[in-house]
Amino acid sequence: MANDKVSIHGAWASRWVFILAATGSAVGLGNIWKFPYMTGLYGGGAFVAMYLVCIALVGLPIMLAETLIGRRGRQSPVNSMRSLAKESGGSRYWSVAAVIGMVAALLILSFYSVVAGWSLDYIIGMGQGNFSGISAEGAGAAFGGLTDNPWRLTLWHTLFMLGTGFVIAKGVVAGLERSLRIMMPMLFVLLLILLVYSFTTGHFMQGFHFLFHFDPSKVQGGILAAMGHAFFTLSVGVGSIMVYGSYMPKKSSIGATVLTVGLLDTLVALTAGLALFPIVFAAGLEPGGGPGLMFVTLPIAFGNVAFGQVMGLVFFVLVTLAAWSSSISMLEPAVAYFVERTGRSRTAVTSMLAVFCWVVGMGTVLSFNIGADAKFFVFANDGFHLFQWGAEGGKNFFEGIDYLTSRILLPIGGLAFAMFAGWVMTRDSVRDELSIKSPLLFNMALWLIRVVAPIGVLIVFVAELTK
Ligand code: TRP
């Protein structure tokens, strides 16, 4: 059965624009900021290995599933799943997964915007030459000075959220393509320049070893983190890729497209790791330094090379742009849904959702300073507390939202999307969407979606529960 419907929200001019948009969504703070610091926290090579396995066996099949659901449904994720379930006689409750995803995406945007704000602040810092000749202590103090100051964080968070809302209100198709075409290659070139610098630190092999030395004893500790990050970095599990898939032209192969996006994303993350860790070791910093890792190490690099200030400035501009092309994909599923549901304009819907994310994001802003003692998910001697002020363990607001989304909501969403594409949609409609000619390849793809990815998610959940 042919399916020539077009989404009311717009359509990409070609499959290349989808690749550009999906890569823009996938490549972001997850690659340059989060991947290195998670690798540092969860034991280096073991984490990287599990991350790569999760990308290949779980992340990519789910990305395939999301893209094909979106392209077949041609509506917001919630309504696409609802109508496809109807078409194939499945339960309409499958669309609950897309509702959860939509909320998860908004929660992610709330803290993402705060961190993207840090890189806005660093653009100014680099421009003013604040980091010239800076030491490791100096760089640490500069980062602390930023996160201690709620007003400065709020300013940048607000600006970034306005920027995200602005593009989404205009429509994704218009502004995105031209900027991404220039931005993504430039970001990669600058990462390569950083990589060359990290060669000169004399600690390159130590960094390499840290990233790729597999220590089996560290596997159990980071397995859910690795899977959560595989979802995060590919933008899957919430409907971001699904909504982009719904703007994809009919005549294009989904399989090759998804592979391209996944490879580019992985390449950027590994390059960022290879560029950062030698600097970490050369400066005598801890690899397990947490969320500040990139914001402390990069100024040291840029502060101590010729033209470092200019390169640093350009670099943080690109990081901000990469974050921005990701943040819009977090807003789009909800915007598409509420436009369909309420019939209001994109601008009105976007404004309301952006305000919501901004308010939640203030929790993250405060969790780095005056609200640092507000703890969530506390496992204490006297039992579990969802919230406790001043608790020893537990997670602050930022860590709590990150945990809830990456470790719980994204995997659940991804599991549901794969099951839906694999078991609820008819085999014929999946075949029609994927348009993979070789029966062998098609069966492999279907098997990954139906069996491997769901079992992978479940194994990791069980491994975590029995830890
Ligand atoms: N993948 C992006 C990054 O690595 C972030 C992102 C965009 C995302 N859309 C998402 C993460 C949806 C989870 C869900 O920076």
Side-chain angles (χ1 to χ4, degrees):
M1 183 186 78
N3 178 349
D4 311 322
K5 272 190 296 178
V6 181
S7 168
I8 59 163
H9 309 287
W12 309 121
S14 73
R15 98 171 232 257
W16 286 105
V17 187
F18 172 84
I19 293 189
L20 219 50
T23 308
S25 168
V27 175
L29 297 171
N31 307 61
I32 304 162
W33 162 70
K34 203 172 180 196
F35 171 73
Y37 95 70
M38 299 265 294
T39 303
L41 283 178
Y42 292 101
F47 177 82
V48 176
M50 286 184 294
Y51 156 83
L52 292 175
V53 170
C54 289
I55 295 268
L57 296 184
V58 180
L60 289 179
I62 291 176
M63 197 181 223
L64 209 57
E66 277 199 37
T67 315
L68 79 89
I69 296 172
R71 192 168 69 172
R72 187 131 197 117
R74 293 271 181 239
Q75 298 162 71
S76 66
V78 176
N79 285 328
S80 286
M81 286 186 78
R82 200 172 278 167
S83 65
L84 291 179
K86 201 166 173 187
E87 185 184 293
S88 59
S91 159
R92 66 196 295 269
Y93 289 110
W94 280 101
S95 62
V96 173
V99 175
I100 295 175
M102 204 165 78
V103 175
L106 296 175
L107 292 179
I108 292 172
L109 177 55
S110 78
F111 73 76
Y112 205 83
S113 164
V114 176
V115 178
W118 299 349
S119 74
L120 280 171
D121 189 279
Y122 272 63
I123 296 177
I124 307 292
M126 285 287 168
Q128 291 176 335
N130 294 353
F131 298 105
S132 161
I134 203 161
S135 64
E137 295 77 52
F143 180 66
L146 168 63
T147 50
D148 282 347
N149 185 337
W151 296 108
R152 224 163 116 195
L153 294 180
T154 304
L155 169 72
W156 299 122
H157 165 50
T158 310
L159 273 179
F160 188 81
M161 199 60 90
L162 280 172
T164 302
F166 181 75
V167 183
I168 285 292
K170 283 232 156 288
V172 197
V173 186
L176 202 64
E177 182 177 352
R178 215 173 333 134
S179 42
L180 282 175
R181 278 216 165 134
I182 315 165
M183 252 165 62
M184 303 314 289
M186 262 172 76
L187 181 70
F188 201 70
V189 169
L190 270 165
L191 273 175
L192 288 178
I193 294 179
L194 270 177
L195 191 62
V196 172
Y197 169 75
S198 81
F199 263 112
T200 68
T201 60
H203 287 70
F204 189 77
M205 281 325 289
Q206 199 182 345
F208 188 88
H209 185 262
F210 182 73
L211 267 181
F212 295 114
H213 175 72
F214 184 74
D215 175 355
S217 71
K218 299 211 169 119
V219 166
Q220 182 97 14
I223 184 163
L224 184 58
M227 189 180 68
H229 187 63
F231 281 91
F232 188 92
T233 193
L234 291 178
S235 308
V236 297
V238 304
S240 284
I241 295 297
M242 197 184 292
V243 79
Y244 279 5
S246 72
Y247 308 148
M248 192 170 170
K250 171 69 190 156
K251 291 253 160 293
S252 43
S253 137
I254 293 184
T257 308
V258 161
L259 265 181
T260 312
V261 176
L263 282 177
L264 285 172
D265 187 74
T266 309
L267 203 61
V268 173
L270 292 178
T271 314
L274 272 180
L276 277 175
F277 281 109
I279 304 171
V280 171
F281 292 120
L285 294 165
E286 276 299 312
L293 193 69
M294 151 186 158
F295 291 93
V296 175
T297 48
L298 288 187
I300 304 176
F302 288 125
N304 293 290
V305 293
F307 309 111
Q309 298 293 303
V310 181
M311 281 200 313
L313 188 129
V314 176
F315 185 81
F316 281 106
V317 169
L318 289 171
V319 169
T320 307
L321 294 176
W324 167 77
S325 64
S326 299
S327 65
I328 56 179
S329 74
M330 299 172 199
L331 203 47
E332 183 64 19
V335 169
Y337 174 68
F338 284 107
V339 166
E340 284 165 12
R341 188 182 165 133
T342 65
R344 284 171 189 265
S345 70
R346 277 186 79 88
T347 311
V349 170
T350 305
S351 312
M352 281 184 302
L353 292 169
V355 168
F356 169 80
C357 294
W358 182 87
V359 171
V360 181
M362 285 310 291
T364 290
V365 162
L366 299 178
S367 73
F368 287 101
N369 35 70
I370 54 181
D373 281 335
K375 294 294 183 62
F376 301 80
F377 302 111
V378 182
F379 290 94
N381 292 336
D382 60 340
F384 173 77
H385 305 269
L386 191 59
F387 176 77
Q388 200 174 40
W389 185 268
E392 267 297 311
K395 300 180 173 3
N396 66 29
F397 189 86
F398 158 64
E399 292 161 345
I401 295 248
D402 183 30
Y403 182 86
L404 173 71
T405 50
S406 286
R407 310 279 177 95
I408 301 172
L409 298 180
L410 299 189
I412 291 179
L415 175 67
F417 296 156
M419 300 283 286
F420 184 81
W423 298 99
V424 178
M425 288 173 72
T426 61
R427 200 186 167 92
D428 284 340
S429 59
V430 173
R431 192 196 310 272
D432 180 41
E433 283 309 321
L434 282 183
S435 50
I436 298 177
K437 300 235 169 50
S438 140
L440 180 71
L441 281 181
F442 171 71
N443 282 324
M444 248 176 67
L446 197 60
W447 188 71
L448 281 169
I449 293 175
R450 281 188 156 178
V451 183
V452 177
I455 289 186
V457 175
L458 292 175
I459 288 180
V460 173
F461 265 129
V462 172
E464 183 72 12
L465 289 176
T466 57
K467 199 157 69 174

